[in-house]
Amino acid sequence: MDLKTKALLLSIGRVQLSRPQDGGQPSTAGPGAGESSVFFQSGRRLVRLSVVDRSPLSLEVRGDEALISLQGRAISRGRMVEPLLHSPGQAYITVSERCIYDCRFCAVPRLKGGVKSHQRVVEMVKEANATGRLESISLTSGTEVSPQLEGERVAALVCDLKQFGVPIGVSVNPFPGVNRMLYDAGADEVKYNLETPDRILFSRVCPGLSYQEIMDALEEAVELFGENHVFSNLLVGLGESDQSLRQGMDELTDRGVLPILRAAYPHPLRLDEVDITRPSAERLLELARYLRMRLDQKGLDGRLALTGCYCCTGCDLVPGRDL
Ligand code: SF4
Ligand code: SF4
């Protein structure tokens, strides 16, 4: 799969299966939380697609081979990849599948899912480790009661999960003291999502969250965890301009943070609340090339990430891995 084909697949984001038995695993994290998805690998590139009933993209599995077609025309041959827990090679676990915030594009508050107990999370990682395929652990969490309590919950998990001897990344809502708490617990990497660099748009789509608090936490995180080990999602497709995205990438990379350019996903549970235009393949490519250029300018390298989306690469064009 060449870079343009991956961009095309990401811009569509959804695939229909020729035969329902060809796969699709329910996901509790990422763009299509609550929906089924598949991982398709071709050459060194991997893509994750949500499984839907109707899409211009279709996927056919024949033995070990998988074929993706666009409106009946074959565009990529490869193979299916079994995720370990949500992501290939990773135990990527959503601890609290609910959230007191109400970001307009996010399915988590609507799904009102459960909160996994400490013991349950440790057991899930133990099972993943028993496969011999565990390379890293990523813990993400909505906020059940408060960012502080969620941070404490996840920090206690990190302490326990160090026993598996693999890198651990954490993504939670930040609060004063969050970095020290997670660092002392043994986390290797953190992610705090700015979601959109357009501050007016931010206040509309992320009510109750503070852009400045997230940016401050990211800046502080780099001092503790180091460059290339702190991340932030920037969504593409909420109505922001490319210029604002480039400014956001500049602000983050100036601070040693690795931005994740994520195509916004119009989740069925949020359709009436936010206008999402899935970005074109050309837009994704252009923005990813700008990000690659900025990382190079700042001496940052996506290949040094140990956990999370820069390692997985399923949902994005990842600098250092895809381009
Ligand atoms: S804070 Fe995170 S989990 Fe909560 S609603 Fe916003 S994006 Fe979703
Ligand atoms: S890129 Fe990130 S959000 Fe997407 S499947 Fe991989 S780990 Fe999950």
Side-chain angles (χ1 to χ4, degrees):
M1 169 165 50
D2 62 18
L3 186 62
K4 280 187 181 170
T5 304
K6 179 166 177 181
L8 176 65
L9 296 182
L10 288 175
S11 77
I12 298 170
R14 295 165 164 184
V15 71
Q16 68 184 59
L17 305 179
S18 298
R19 301 177 313 163
Q21 63 269 35
D22 284 343
Q25 295 212 357
S27 182
T28 57
E35 299 187 315
S36 284
S37 62
V38 288
F39 287 88
F40 170 83
Q41 177 154 32
S42 172
R44 65 189 170 93
R45 295 198 172 87
L46 178 81
V47 69
R48 171 186 184 257
L49 298 166
S50 291
V51 174
V52 291
D53 293 337
R54 280 185 166 278
S55 167
L57 290 177
S58 62
L59 173 71
E60 194 181 342
V61 181
R62 293 183 200 144
D64 290 340
E65 199 180 72
L67 181 71
I68 292 195
S69 303
L70 175 64
Q71 283 159 342
R73 184 175 57 88
I75 56 168
S76 188
R77 277 176 207 283
R79 66 183 184 94
M80 307 303 289
V81 177
E82 274 293 304
L84 185 54
L85 280 177
H86 169 78
S87 169
Q90 297 192 48
Y92 190 113
I93 299 173
T94 304
V95 182
S96 296
E97 296 171 29
R98 49 180 50 219
C99 194
I100 55 172
Y101 299 108
D102 192 23
C103 300
R104 300 296 188 236
F105 49 81
C106 177
V108 172
R110 290 285 179 275
L111 289 167
K112 292 195 178 88
V115 177
K116 295 184 185 79
S117 70
H118 186 102
Q119 207 42 46
R120 175 72 192 124
V121 175
V122 175
E123 272 165 21
M124 289 170 79
V125 177
K126 206 176 269 177
E127 282 167 26
N129 191 42
T131 65
R133 293 192 286 138
L134 181 68
E135 291 164 13
S136 63
I137 299 168
S138 294
L139 299 176
T140 179
S141 201
T143 294
E144 187 201 10
V145 177
S146 70
Q148 174 83 26
L149 288 176
E150 206 64 45
E152 288 169 11
R153 188 202 311 267
V154 174
L157 274 168
V158 171
C159 267
D160 236 5
L161 296 176
K162 290 303 282 181
Q163 63 179 293
F164 295 101
V166 295
I168 303 178
V170 170
S171 181
V172 289
N173 287 116
F175 54 90
V178 65
N179 287 309
R180 175 51 64 184
M181 182 186 286
L182 294 173
Y183 185 79
D184 288 348
D188 298 279
E189 299 187 328
V190 290
K191 176 161 91 150
Y192 309 126
N193 293 329
L194 275 178
E195 311 292 7
T196 178
D198 178 327
R199 294 184 190 215
I200 295 170
L201 192 56
F202 178 92
S203 58
R204 220 169 58 227
V205 297
C206 297
L209 295 179
S210 160
Y211 185 96
Q212 197 54 50
E213 190 173 9
I214 300 169
M215 190 57 104
D216 290 346
L218 287 165
E219 192 162 0
E220 184 192 66
V222 175
E223 288 167 25
L224 277 175
F225 297 93
E227 291 186 342
N228 303 306
H229 300 296
V230 179
F231 315 93
S232 189
N233 279 3
L234 296 177
L235 297 176
V236 186
L238 296 177
E240 71 295 320
S241 66
D242 285 358
Q243 191 193 351
S244 75
L245 282 168
R246 283 193 291 269
Q247 275 173 5
M249 288 188 259
D250 291 353
E251 281 186 57
L252 290 169
T253 52
D254 280 346
R255 291 164 172 78
V257 176
L258 298 183
I260 294 167
L261 285 170
R262 170 67 43 84
Y265 182 74
H267 198 285
L269 294 174
R270 286 293 198 176
L271 285 187
D272 296 334
E273 297 179 59
V274 61
D275 284 333
I276 289 180
T277 306
R278 194 86 183 161
S280 67
E282 292 71 28
R283 189 178 185 207
L284 285 173
L285 273 169
E286 200 178 303
L287 290 167
R289 287 189 174 121
Y290 183 83
L291 178 55
R292 173 71 212 242
M293 185 270 293
R294 280 295 299 179
L295 296 185
D296 288 349
Q297 272 180 0
K298 293 288 164 182
L300 299 170
D301 187 347
R303 287 170 301 181
L304 299 180
L306 302 169
T307 68
C309 302
Y310 263 80
C311 288
C312 171
T313 73
C315 298
D316 317 297
L317 299 178
V318 178
R321 311 253 188 201
D322 287 314
L323 74 161

